[in-house]
Amino acid sequence: MKSTFFTFLSFFLLFSCKKENATPSNDWQIVSENVQFKEDVATFYLKSGKFNYRIPTNQLPFKKVILLNASLVGYFTELNLEQRIIGISSPEYVYAEKVHQLIQDGSIQNVGNDQKYDLEKIIALKPDAIFTNYIPSFENTYDLIKKNGIEVIFLDEYLEHNPLEKSKYLLVFGKLFNSEKKAISTLEGIQKSYDSLKNKAKASQKKPIVLANEMYGNQWFLPGGESSLARFISDANATYINADNPDTKAIPMSFEEVFTKSQKAEYWVNIGNHQNKKELLQINPNYTKLPVFNEGKLYTIDRKSQGKSNDYFESGVVRADIVLKDYIKIFHPDLLSDYKLTYFKELN
């Protein structure tokens, strides 16, 4: 990745959090296996993956930040923190209308994309912090940003295989932006709703068999049996064809392997943004060989999309309860007769 190197240091360093190798773990607030935090009078401690941060509490709450991936936008919209964002990369992948309005009026700047970040603009904006997923190949870019007095905080919510643990990232943002009460109440609402919906799904005597995702090139990336998608399907009282697989990530398979596993599938979910079955066949005509394509029900995640943006990957990251509600409506429509799908759309 090509980058322009800038050497000046900001006179006022608005953020000076330092990483530490280890801190006591007996009183950490556990978000997930990957993320936890705690605080004392002077310091907010955050562990995220292999990264450890010590943020002086006198530098909180953050007033202005930059986001380098759209999936984190959902946390800001859920907590009404959009105005704290001063820069965002690849805004075409952002669904939130309020964020686009702030971009149009100049309150949020476009700072490039993962092919070429506008480092000069990022440094000139002097954010309190930058939030992003960690991408190893961008290490040089991260180092350059840090050398200019800006800390990069890595939050990899996509690695979580429990949907509610993704929702729990609200607690981290609540602490960092002085929105703790709202974060707690919002999370409690999501958890209560999720548990209620999960119990409702158990009332159904049917447990339909489900296929997920689609082929990319010559491979079908089928989510593992411990993935967040597998959890959603299980909590919606359905049977996932790859449930016995122990992986949390997607497993590349050939069409033949998926064909064999999906013979009894009644539903096919999480198909891309295709408009109809004919369009889907233009990607791979072999789909006609699948019994579920001919006899089952197919659902795309395209109901809330615009251009390159898709709210399933934005607000859906936070609102695990609404995503579960969609799956229950798909697999057991009689249980939610008055509910209309939020993120999914049937493919005809």
Side-chain angles (χ1 to χ4, degrees):
M1 173 179 172
K2 296 182 179 179
S3 302
T4 304
F5 287 81
F6 305 93
T7 58
F8 70 91
L9 285 172
S10 301
F11 181 78
F12 295 102
L13 300 182
L14 298 180
F15 186 83
S16 62
C17 77
K18 298 178 180 179
K19 291 181 184 176
E20 62 171 11
N21 292 325
T23 50
S25 59
N26 59 336
D27 55 352
W28 291 91
Q29 169 73 50
I30 306 299
V31 173
S32 69
E33 292 182 358
N34 300 315
V35 175
Q36 50 190 292
F37 63 84
K38 71 173 185 174
E39 63 181 337
D40 55 32
V41 174
T43 308
F44 177 78
Y45 302 90
L46 173 65
K47 290 183 178 182
S48 181
K50 65 179 182 179
F51 299 97
N52 298 275
Y53 304 93
R54 296 180 62 185
I55 306 172
T57 55
N58 62 9
Q59 295 183 7
L60 297 176
F62 290 148
K63 297 296 193 300
K64 52 181 186 176
V65 298
I66 290 175
L67 306 183
L68 296 185
N69 60 294
S71 63
L72 296 177
V73 171
Y75 297 100
F76 286 77
T77 56
E78 197 65 37
L79 297 177
N80 298 321
L81 295 171
E82 296 96 333
Q83 293 187 346
R84 304 291 184 93
I85 306 170
I86 60 170
I88 197 162
S89 70
S90 302
E92 66 273 17
Y93 289 100
V94 175
Y95 183 85
E97 182 179 350
K98 187 172 181 179
V99 172
H100 282 288
Q101 290 175 346
L102 291 170
I103 292 172
Q104 290 174 7
D105 68 25
S107 299
I108 297 178
Q109 298 292 308
N110 182 348
V111 296
N113 55 57
D114 59 10
Q115 299 301 310
K116 187 174 182 180
Y117 292 122
D118 189 335
L119 294 177
E120 184 173 15
K121 182 180 288 187
I122 289 173
I123 294 167
L125 285 170
K126 299 180 181 179
D128 295 337
I130 291 176
F131 292 94
T132 185
N133 296 153
Y134 176 68
I135 303 176
S137 60
F138 292 167
E139 193 64 53
N140 290 338
T141 299
Y142 302 144
D143 286 343
L144 180 59
I145 293 172
K146 294 171 189 176
K147 286 178 181 178
N148 281 275
I150 303 168
E151 188 57 75
V152 182
I153 298 178
F154 302 108
L155 290 172
D156 295 327
E157 84 296 330
Y158 69 94
L159 294 177
E160 306 297 348
H161 52 269
N162 182 332
L164 283 173
E165 288 181 347
K166 295 184 182 183
S167 301
K168 285 183 71 175
Y169 278 53
L170 285 166
L171 300 179
V172 177
F173 289 103
K175 285 286 188 180
L176 294 174
F177 292 91
N178 194 28
S179 295
E180 186 175 8
K181 288 184 179 180
K182 183 171 180 57
I184 291 173
S185 64
T186 300
L187 178 60
E188 288 177 347
I190 292 171
Q191 291 178 320
K192 182 177 180 180
S193 174
Y194 192 99
D195 291 341
S196 175
L197 287 162
K198 181 178 176 180
N199 289 331
K200 181 183 284 289
K202 291 179 180 178
S204 176
Q205 298 300 311
K206 297 180 180 179
K207 199 168 184 178
I209 299 173
V210 183
L211 168 66
N213 286 15
E214 60 178 297
M215 293 199 74
Y216 293 92
N218 295 321
Q219 292 184 312
W220 195 310
F221 290 89
L222 199 64
E226 295 297 324
S227 65
S228 60
L229 178 56
R231 176 69 67 90
F232 272 129
I233 294 173
S234 175
D235 288 349
N237 195 22
T239 302
Y240 178 43
I241 66 164
N242 208 26
D244 58 351
N245 181 282
D247 283 291
T248 60
K249 62 181 182 298
I251 311 302
M253 293 185 178
S254 66
F255 175 84
E256 289 74 19
E257 290 174 302
V258 176
F259 174 81
T260 300
K261 293 177 73 73
S262 65
Q263 285 299 295
K264 296 182 179 180
E266 303 162 72
Y267 293 88
W268 181 2
V269 300
N270 285 54
I271 306 171
N273 60 348
H274 308 291
Q275 299 304 306
N276 51 59
K277 294 172 77 171
K278 182 178 180 181
E279 183 179 308
L280 182 61
L281 290 179
Q282 292 175 356
I283 304 299
N284 193 321
N286 284 328
Y287 289 146
T288 57
K289 300 177 182 178
L290 296 170
V292 69
F293 179 88
N294 300 300
E295 303 166 14
K297 288 183 174 291
L298 283 61
Y299 288 85
T300 69
I301 47 175
D302 195 42
R303 183 170 294 278
K304 293 187 71 177
S305 66
Q306 187 171 353
K308 295 181 179 180
S309 69
N310 191 321
D311 202 30
Y312 176 83
F313 300 107
E314 195 168 304
S315 72
V317 173
V318 184
R319 294 305 304 265
D321 58 327
I322 299 178
V323 176
L324 178 62
K325 195 171 188 177
D326 269 14
Y327 283 120
I328 294 173
K329 175 66 175 181
I330 290 170
F331 305 142
H332 311 289
D334 55 309
L335 296 180
L336 297 169
S337 57
D338 296 328
Y339 174 68
K340 294 184 179 180
L341 294 172
T342 299
Y343 300 109
F344 289 82
K345 183 170 63 177
E346 186 171 1
L347 191 66
N348 296 307

